[in-house]
């Protein structure tokens, strides 16, 4: 399950090598991710640019197991996978993020 720390003005989601910070005071979001050993450049965007936050479910072709991702959609068309969790945990993560953003 993803770790979510929040107060009235800031929410921080940490899961694996992904950190998402949502800040109401500045109106900005920062997404930091790491691929293998390299940190990607942090991506900053306005909270108003968030179009949707949802659970995306797939079936693994090799094992047939269900895979559930929480994903963030931006108005620019970009999509970021935030977490990979069990169905219930992914739904809970998405619910908290949507509530904070106001979706």
């Amino acid at each position: 399950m993803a770790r979510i720390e929040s107060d009235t003005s800031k929410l921080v989601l940490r899961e694996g090598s992904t950190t998402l910070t949502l800040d109401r005071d500045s109106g900005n979001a920062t997404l930091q991710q790491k691929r293998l050993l390299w940190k990607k450049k942090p991506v900053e965007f306005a909270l108003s640019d968030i179009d949707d936050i949802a659970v995306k479910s797939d079936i693994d072709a090799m094992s047939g197991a269900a895979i559930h991702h929480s994903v963030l959609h931006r108005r620019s068309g970009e999509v970021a996978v935030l977490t990979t969790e069990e169905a219930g945990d992914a739904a809970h993560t998405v619910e908290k993020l949507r509530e904070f953003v106001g979706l």
Side-chain angles (χ1 to χ4, degrees):
M1 182 178 210
R3 292 187 343 232
I4 299 175
E5 304 162 9
S6 67
D7 58 30
T8 56
S9 64
K10 193 173 193 175
L11 181 141
V12 178
L13 173 136
R14 288 188 176 89
E15 209 269 328
S17 61
T18 299
T19 302
L20 174 69
T21 305
L22 306 175
D23 189 344
R24 281 191 185 137
D25 290 340
S26 67
N28 289 325
T30 305
L31 178 63
Q32 297 174 317
Q33 294 181 312
K34 191 165 111 175
R35 296 286 181 224
L36 297 176
L37 301 174
W38 299 274
K39 287 184 179 181
K40 293 174 72 177
K41 184 178 176 182
V43 178
E44 292 189 24
F45 51 93
L47 289 177
S48 59
D49 190 34
I50 297 173
D51 188 28
D52 192 20
I53 302 170
V55 175
K56 180 179 181 246
S57 299
D58 289 321
I59 301 294
D60 182 60
M62 297 295 283
S63 67
I67 302 170
H68 308 281
H69 303 285
S70 56
V71 294
L72 183 141
H73 299 264
R74 293 175 45 200
R75 295 187 196 285
S76 62
E78 295 178 48
V79 177
V81 175
L82 303 175
T83 66
T84 301
E85 306 174 281
E86 296 292 326
D89 294 340
H92 180 27
T93 298
V94 166
E95 180 183 332
K96 285 202 170 260
L97 293 173
R98 289 178 63 89
E99 181 182 311
F100 187 85
V101 174
L103 295 175

